[in-house]
Amino acid sequence: MVNWVLRGAVLLWALFFAIVGLRGIFDPASFTELFGIVVEGAAANTVRADLSAFFLVAAGGAAVGALVPGWSRALLVPAALYGTALVGRLIGAGSGDLVNAGIVQAMIIEALSTGLMVASWWMLSRPAPVVAGASADTVH
């Protein structure tokens, strides 16, 4: 039961970030609203490619890890991406970068996302429990 709840939570997470990534491909200015990034001129191409790739790869890894039995290690891809982003923000905050409510919110999302992916990987990669008293021999 817990595995199904985790799979569902990961799939909803993947759907949300896939939408963010696809939206960024078709309308890079949408990242202006979400992240406060000014998208002008040649920067639109970079923002479209790099930020969208981040979200789409993370969403794809999460979806594969949740849906394909035996591929739970794919959940470590979004965990690594969001964990690295969180570490980068922490380094920036420690170096004196501006930290406002939006940055704090992003850090919380990155920490929760990393935690969800690592916890899901841990739970989904464990072997199924054997019921006590059940006979392994099914041939009679």
Side-chain angles (χ1 to χ4, degrees):
M1 178 67 171
V2 172
N3 285 356
W4 288 108
V5 171
L6 283 174
R7 289 179 197 279
V10 169
L11 287 173
L12 286 173
W13 182 96
L15 177 64
F16 174 75
F17 285 107
I19 290 169
V20 171
L22 289 171
R23 193 170 160 209
I25 285 177
F26 295 113
D27 180 21
S30 68
F31 289 132
T32 300
E33 310 165 7
L34 291 172
F35 306 111
I37 298 171
V38 177
V39 181
E40 294 177 352
N45 189 281
T46 300
V47 168
R48 180 190 317 265
D50 295 348
L51 282 177
S52 295
F54 178 90
F55 292 114
L56 291 172
V57 169
V64 167
L67 291 173
V68 181
W71 281 59
S72 60
R73 282 184 284 182
L75 294 167
L76 296 177
V77 172
L81 286 167
Y82 280 81
T84 303
L86 178 60
V87 168
R89 287 189 197 275
L90 291 171
I91 291 170
S95 298
D97 291 355
L98 173 69
V99 177
N100 58 21
I103 300 297
V104 172
Q105 179 183 8
M107 292 169 76
I108 291 168
I109 291 169
E110 289 158 357
L112 291 174
S113 294
T114 302
L116 174 64
M117 295 304 137
V118 170
S120 297
W121 163 75
W122 176 258
M123 294 297 293
L124 295 175
S125 66
R126 298 171 64 195
V130 177
V131 178
S135 174
D137 181 14
T138 57
V139 177
H140 299 285

